């Protein structure tokens, strides 16, 4: 009997000192296996006298139960400590700064749209949008563009089908029509967006961006147009002084019409706005034609105003020194990394537009 207690005591000590599953597996085989110690002892039962058998069998059973329990307990302990060790080893410190941070960039066109929106918002213009697919009516007819006008030529316009009823808008001016049809005077809006013309070279891409401006109220004149553009160009190019020139021009939807050039010079390979004697055309504008107002049920004897349209990509090229328009739309990540803007530097007038 004392032997059994000794066996229990000894083996519990052994179990206690085991720290690996393999060791425990082999001890388990030695003790509880088919030819293990306990089974050997059970075999001895037959050698005993009948009166001793019962007592010994019950003690042997106790021994087996206790050893089994200790071994199972040890298995759980080992399993738990393995998991804890694993968790400790594989722990990631998510507060560490990244070693390689790939941050996205804002495309110069998106940046310039934000800048323009910020500048015009400051003087009370709200922002409108229109769809890329337009009706022939909004893009041309309502804008006083007669059906024989060269701008409607197949060379310039992407029509969507042979009926020529729908097209990809060739300018943002149809947003003037949409805005005036759905609201009441006065109107003071800008409308940035994509425009399409069948044209492609270093300074033309089939898709490009424009921003439209429309201001309709009582008593507006060319002076207001000039003041507005003067303010915009100074703010946009972040200069105190600019040179601006209005050249007479023609658009069916404005009368009188003008094209605006800004003065610049090239210094050390860089463009300087507001100095020098070179001129660069940047926008078309004029006083909204009375026929356009009539087409959208605005009374031209009471209301009038000005409109303008600028090429956004062109403004971006000028401001940020990018010389091939086609590179804007090639989706080259290296280009974007170089010319792109930080997503968190949202342009605002008070904090600065591009810095
Ligand atoms: N829509 C004209 C263009 O694309 C620009 C323009 C807009 C001119 C508004 C006058 C008034 O060239």
């Amino acid at each position: 009997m004392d032997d059994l207690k000794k066996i229990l005591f000894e083996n519990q000590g052994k179990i206690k000192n085991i720290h690996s599953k393999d060791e425990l597996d082999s001890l388990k085989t030695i003790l509880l296996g088919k030819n293990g110690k306990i089974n050997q002892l059970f075999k001895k039962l037959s050698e005993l006298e009948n009166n001793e058998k019962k007592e010994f069998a019950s003690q042997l059973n106790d021994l087996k139960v206790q050893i089994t329990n200790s071994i199972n307990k040890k298995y759980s302990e080992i399993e738990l400590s393995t998991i804890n060790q694993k968790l400790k080893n594989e722990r990631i410190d998510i507060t560490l700064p990244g070693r390689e941070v790939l941050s996205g960039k804002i495309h110069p066109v998106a940046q310039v749209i934000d800048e323009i929106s910020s500048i015009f918002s400051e003087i009370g213009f709200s922002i409108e949008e229109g769809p890329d697919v337009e009706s022939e009516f909004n893009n041309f007819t309502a804008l006083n563009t007669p059906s024989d006008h060269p701008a409607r030529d197949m060379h310039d316009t992407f029509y969507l089908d042979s009926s020529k009823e729908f097209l990809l808008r060739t300018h943002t001016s149809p947003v003037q029509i949409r805005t005036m049809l759905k609201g009441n005077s006065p109107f003071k809006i800008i409308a940035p967006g994509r425009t399409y013309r069948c044209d492609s070279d270093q300074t033309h891409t089939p898709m490009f961006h424009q921003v439209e401006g429309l201001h309709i109220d009582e008593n507006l004149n060319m002076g207001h147009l000039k003041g507005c553009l003067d303010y915009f160009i100074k703010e946009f190019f972040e200069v105190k002084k600019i040179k601006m020139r209005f050249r007479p021009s023609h658009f069916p939807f404005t009368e009188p019409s003008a094209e605006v050039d800004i003065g610049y010079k090239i210094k050390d390979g860089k463009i300087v706005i507001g100095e020098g004697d070179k001129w660069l055309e940047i926008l078309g504008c004029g006083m909204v034609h009375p026929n356009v107002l009539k087409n959208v049920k605005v009374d031209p004897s009471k209301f009038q105003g000005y409109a303008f349209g600028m090429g956004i990509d062109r403004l971006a090229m000028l401001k940020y020194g990018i010389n091939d328009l086609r590179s804007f739309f090639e989706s080259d990540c290296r280009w974007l990394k170089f010319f792109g803007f930080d997503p968190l530097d949202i342009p605002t007038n008070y904090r600065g537009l591009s810095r």
Side-chain angles (χ1 to χ4, degrees), residues 170-173 176 197 210 212-213 251 253-254 258 284-286 307-310:
T170 57
H171 50 181
T172 41
S173 302
Q176 290 188 32
R197 283 180 209 176
Q210 282 193 339
E212 193 77 9
F251 299 103
F253 34 90
T254 44
C285 61
F308 54 84
M310 294 183 263

Side-chain angles (χ1 to χ4, degrees), residues 142-144 176-177 180 212-216 222 225 252-257 285-294 296 298 300 303-308:
L143 286 164
N144 198 36
Q176 290 188 32
I177 303 302
M180 292 191 284
E212 193 77 9
L214 174 72
H215 188 185
I216 301 289
M222 282 289 271
L225 169 62
F253 34 90
T254 44
E255 182 57 39
S257 301
C285 61
M287 300 305 289
V288 177
H289 199 293
N291 287 350
V292 174
L293 297 175
K294 278 183 213 149
V296 293
V298 172
F303 291 102
Q304 70 287 123
Y306 57 87
F308 54 84

Side-chain angles (χ1 to χ4, degrees), residues 2-15 31 38 59 62-68 70:
D2 284 346
D3 278 356
L4 293 190
K5 280 210 177 107
K6 210 175 140 206
I7 293 174
L8 179 64
F9 184 74
E10 264 178 29
N11 284 299
Q12 278 182 329
K14 275 191 198 162
I15 294 171
L31 296 174
I38 306 263
Q59 290 189 356
D62 277 353
L63 175 70
K64 190 178 174 181
V65 170
Q66 289 190 50
I67 288 196
T68 311
S70 305

Side-chain angles (χ1 to χ4, degrees), residues 127-190:
I127 298 174
E128 285 287 336
E129 272 181 328
D132 294 9
V133 172
E134 259 302 357
S135 64
E136 186 263 0
F137 178 82
N138 285 345
N139 195 81
F140 290 129
T141 314
L143 286 164
N144 198 36
T145 309
S147 51
D148 55 358
H149 194 278
R152 290 191 176 208
D153 199 293
M154 268 302 231
H155 280 291
D156 290 319
T157 308
F158 289 114
Y159 287 98
L160 294 189
D161 62 22
S162 53
S163 78
K164 294 193 175 180
E165 199 183 332
F166 291 101
L167 43 80
L168 292 175
R169 64 178 178 185
T170 57
H171 50 181
T172 41
S173 302
V175 187
Q176 290 188 32
I177 303 302
R178 288 178 173 270
T179 306
M180 292 191 284
L181 279 177
K182 76 173 186 210
N184 294 311
S185 307
F187 300 99
K188 197 174 182 185
I189 60 113
I190 59 161

